[in-house]
Amino acid sequence: MLSSEQDDLRLLRESARMLFERAGGSGRARKLRDAGGDFDPEMVRELAEAGVFGVAVPEDNGGLGMGLAAGGIIAGEVGRVIAPEPVVLTIGLSLGLLRRLCPDHPKVPQLISGETVLAVAWQERGPGGAPADATCRYAGGKLTGAKAWVVGAAGSQGFLVVAQGDDGQVLVLVEANADGFVINKRAQADGSSLGELSFSGTPAAELASGRAVQDALAEAVVDATALAAAELVGLSERAFEITLDYIKTREQFDKPIGSFQVIQHRAVDLHVMCEVAQAGVGEALAQMDGETDPKIRARLASRAKARAVTAAKKLTRDAIQLHGAVGYTDEFDVGLYLNRALVLSAWLGDDAYHRRLWFEAREEEGAAQ
């Protein structure tokens, strides 16, 4: 990476951090959680004015063209303050789909400017509760069926839905106030919610169809996976900082507990784990920007998510332990970071899932050689 690019990323990080801190940091996330768990539309507009949502969109389509590496910088700052705004959702999924399938659609500039927020619905729940093959149908301009596990459903003005058409998969746009459309919210550990969508002859506008939809969705999910890894790294860094401050001030036997050697050793181990995760995820994002092979990009994203999830779960759980009994109370912010880590780790696959994908990809590559 050129020094000028590094400077641009550094300035982007400083700008995003200043914006979130001015808005209230993690304290704002707590207030929003207590108010119902939705994001703040005004904050979305401020982020848009700072160019956050358009970082990975090519300049020809109204974005900044800075790539996923820049998106990862912003995602990391989102993680540091556990902001509920749909940053990764918009950069990775919503704009990830539209910029690949219909870059000239009016929704692209609206998403970049923060004028609208679109959630993406592509997964379905089977009779036993597990993921199932798509049965949601689109025909004659109407959508029928259901979608599950939709992140950002609460507060979104519309939905990009992947459904089955007469000639294969189609991507359609459904407005949030459309007839025959119902959203049920399922609460998550961090206070956010997943949407369960139901369509009954719901009017929808077709945006794209054919194999291109499947390919674009796969690539957008890969992008979002890598960005979620970056968000986990930012979350881990801040959880470690909070814990470090605590062990420096919490006293036992008339001494700060941070002066005890066993605590120091644990803190060093956590610091090393955090640094390794940051370096690994940053490297993966940078390589993904320069890679065009979908299989290699998917493997890089899996490596990043597996590393980030492992670090986040270890760091946040140890942070709770190092806080002692008070770490389990809602009064201390460290619990917010643990809950967010649990939710974000599960989204788009945890460490075991992505580690398996990575090994399978390597075995497939070895067999081909």
Side-chain angles (χ1 to χ4, degrees):
M1 186 177 294
L2 300 176
S3 59
S4 59
E5 294 175 332
Q6 292 177 333
D7 288 340
D8 289 341
L9 294 180
R10 178 181 57 81
L11 291 173
L12 183 64
R13 175 183 284 109
E14 292 174 355
S15 298
R17 184 167 300 183
M18 185 181 301
L19 180 61
F20 282 120
E21 288 178 352
R22 188 172 66 244
S26 59
R28 185 182 68 90
R30 180 188 291 276
K31 291 178 181 178
L32 289 172
R33 182 206 64 176
D34 294 343
D38 294 342
F39 57 84
D40 181 7
E42 183 58 36
M43 189 62 185
V44 170
R45 284 189 286 271
E46 288 191 36
L47 291 169
E49 289 175 1
V52 163
F53 298 118
V55 289
V57 178
E59 294 183 62
D60 292 343
N61 301 120
L64 299 179
M66 298 178 69
L68 279 185
I73 293 294
I74 294 169
E77 295 305 313
V78 170
R80 285 183 62 87
V81 296
I82 48 178
E85 280 69 37
V87 174
V88 170
L89 168 67
T90 301
I91 297 174
L93 287 177
S94 304
L95 282 169
L97 273 174
L98 291 181
R99 68 184 174 87
R100 289 180 171 94
L101 293 172
C102 41
D104 297 324
H105 194 278
K107 289 296 182 183
V108 172
Q110 290 178 16
L111 284 167
I112 293 174
S113 66
E115 182 180 342
T116 189
V117 174
L118 300 178
V120 179
W122 78 95
Q123 296 171 301
E124 297 187 19
R125 186 190 303 274
D133 293 336
T135 58
C136 189
R137 294 285 303 174
Y138 174 76
K142 304 287 185 179
L143 195 62
T144 302
K147 291 292 179 179
W149 305 298
V150 181
V151 174
S156 293
Q157 286 81 46
F159 296 83
L160 297 173
V161 182
V162 178
Q164 293 297 314
D166 294 333
D167 299 315
Q169 286 189 327
V170 295
L171 178 69
V172 300
L173 174 64
V174 177
E175 299 296 337
N177 58 357
D179 294 335
F181 176 44
V182 177
I183 303 176
N184 291 316
K185 296 198 300 184
R186 291 178 177 265
Q188 300 191 96
D190 64 345
S192 64
S193 63
L194 290 176
E196 301 282 327
L197 312 185
S198 176
F199 309 100
S200 180
T202 304
E206 182 176 332
L207 303 179
S209 62
R211 179 58 186 267
V213 173
Q214 180 180 342
D215 293 342
L217 176 62
E219 292 188 36
V221 169
V222 164
D223 288 353
T225 299
L227 293 174
E231 185 175 346
L232 278 167
V233 168
L235 179 155
S236 301
E237 290 175 345
R238 183 56 189 151
F240 177 70
E241 291 171 6
I242 292 172
T243 305
L244 202 60
D245 290 340
Y246 181 78
I247 64 177
K248 288 177 180 178
T249 56
R250 171 75 168 90
E251 291 190 356
Q252 193 171 16
F253 307 115
D254 298 323
K255 292 181 179 180
I257 61 174
S259 65
F260 302 144
Q261 193 174 59
V262 65
I263 300 295
Q264 293 175 355
H265 287 173
R266 289 187 68 179
V268 168
D269 289 343
L270 294 178
H271 175 67
V272 170
M273 177 173 282
C274 196
E275 291 293 307
V276 170
Q278 181 188 51
V281 172
E283 179 189 25
L285 286 165
Q287 290 182 14
M288 288 174 69
D289 277 332
E291 183 59 62
T292 57
D293 188 330
K295 291 184 178 180
I296 296 178
R297 295 184 81 255
R299 193 172 69 211
L300 289 167
S302 288
R303 189 184 75 185
K305 186 73 188 297
R307 174 74 71 179
V309 170
T310 300
K313 290 197 294 191
K314 172 67 174 174
L315 277 153
T316 53
R317 288 170 179 170
D318 278 23
I320 293 290
Q321 289 185 351
L322 290 170
H323 274 74
V326 297
Y328 290 93
T329 67
D330 193 55
E331 179 183 354
F332 283 75
D333 283 350
V334 68
L336 302 179
Y337 285 83
L338 171 64
N339 289 334
R340 180 59 181 161
L342 293 175
V343 169
L344 199 57
S345 294
W347 187 49
L348 302 178
D350 63 5
D351 47 345
Y353 172 79
H354 281 287
R355 201 170 287 118
R356 184 173 69 251
L357 289 185
W358 187 85
F359 278 116
E360 288 175 353
R362 287 298 300 268
E363 290 178 357
E364 182 181 338
E365 181 184 348
Q369 292 176 350

